[in-house]
Amino acid sequence: MVRVQEADFDVGVELAALRREHPQVGALVSFVGVVRELNDAAGVSEMLLEHYPGMTEKALAAIVDEARRRWTIIDATVIHRVGRLLPTDQIVLVAVSGGHRGEAFAACEFIMDYLKTRAPFWKRELTADGARWVAARAVDEQAAERWQG
Amino acid sequence: MLKILYFASVREKLGQGSEELALPGGVTDIAGLLGFLAQRGGPWESLATFRNLRYAVNQEMVRLDAPLRPGDEVAFFPPVTGG
């Protein structure tokens, strides 16, 4: 299940949904991304997240499908927020259910690494020096490349 | 017609988020369309030199040589920074 929304999400509710009525689930792995107050040595007072409606949902669904091809998992939930966010706010949830933890851990990390480099979201930060678009980081590209080949 | 979308810093630089455009004569791929748009001059010239510009056709990321046909939805944007 993939969702793009302005509203916050409740990790407990989402994890419960992944195990409810699925007695074969033995492992739930989740990652939550959070707005940092300090980024590239500047204080961030506010963040605006923009996306490409339509393509975003397709890209996220394709990433989850690819994870299902690579690992034996039972289900996955990806929720990404857009709009105005403040430091300490949750940005993204990736949660994966599986029979055992190994495949669920790997699938969760893979989905997050691919989301970072393939899903059309853009962050704009407000700092004391004004607004700026967040630059893509080479380390994120390298993290995604680990899964190739 | 092509539907063209511009996102994030690309939209900001161009001062517009979308436009409809008849596929210009001689333009067959993304590289050709970029050349056509850059020739408008002013802020549009930045499309030719934009660092790590990304492109999508019909909501799939593509390369510069991706073919274009009337009715396609094309998007130009900077490297993504979600998560």
Side-chain angles (χ1 to χ4, degrees):
Chain A
M1 188 269 296
V2 162
R3 286 202 325 252
V4 179
Q5 62 189 41
E6 289 193 14
D8 198 9
F9 50 82
D10 183 325
V11 178
V13 167
E14 302 303 334
L15 293 184
L18 282 173
R19 63 188 159 80
R20 192 177 303 128
E21 292 166 27
H22 291 287
Q24 70 275 38
V25 169
L28 283 177
V29 172
S30 64
F31 169 86
V32 176
V34 175
V35 180
R36 255 195 321 270
E37 189 179 31
L38 202 65
N39 195 29
D40 288 339
V44 176
S45 58
E46 185 181 322
M47 178 176 281
L48 275 169
L49 255 152
E50 175 179 339
H51 77 122
Y52 180 172
M55 179 173 168
T56 314
E57 293 81 354
K58 275 190 203 171
L60 293 175
I63 293 167
V64 170
D65 285 347
E66 179 63 24
R68 286 179 182 281
R69 265 193 292 278
R70 294 183 182 216
W71 293 281
T72 305
I73 60 173
I74 293 169
D75 206 354
T77 296
V78 178
I79 302 175
H80 204 298
R81 295 179 67 192
V82 292
R84 181 172 176 265
L85 298 172
L86 302 173
T88 76
D89 279 351
Q90 303 184 112
I91 305 175
V92 59
L93 167 70
V94 176
V96 176
S97 61
H100 302 277
R101 71 184 184 284
E103 306 233 8
F105 267 124
C108 184
E109 193 169 17
F110 166 85
I111 292 170
M112 194 58 216
D113 284 346
Y114 266 41
L115 181 157
K116 278 266 186 194
T117 52
R118 284 163 172 73
F121 293 99
W122 301 276
K123 289 179 181 141
R124 188 173 169 79
E125 292 174 336
L126 267 181
T127 72
D129 299 329
R132 63 181 188 187
W133 292 99
V134 172
R137 301 188 315 156
V139 59
D140 288 330
E141 199 58 52
Q142 288 155 11
E145 281 168 8
R146 286 181 304 156
W147 302 100
Q148 284 164 17
Chain B
M1 296 293 276
L2 291 176
K3 183 179 182 189
I4 312 180
L5 304 171
Y6 308 103
F7 288 99
S9 52
V10 175
R11 181 196 64 237
E12 209 169 65
K13 196 159 270 182
L14 300 178
Q16 70 183 76
S18 67
E19 66 177 300
E20 301 236 334
L21 182 75
L23 189 60
V27 170
T28 58
D29 59 12
I30 288 283
L33 179 60
L34 271 174
F36 174 84
L37 294 172
Q39 278 179 6
R40 288 172 168 175
W44 296 91
E45 289 172 15
S46 67
L47 280 177
T49 53
F50 198 97
R51 208 159 157 263
N52 296 321
L53 185 69
R54 301 288 200 261
Y55 351 94
V57 175
N58 299 327
Q59 307 190 344
E60 301 259 2
M61 293 246 225
V62 295
R63 294 177 183 278
L64 270 177
D65 62 356
L68 292 178
R69 293 175 194 87
D72 282 344
E73 177 176 303
V74 182
F76 296 105
F77 45 81
V80 302
T81 54

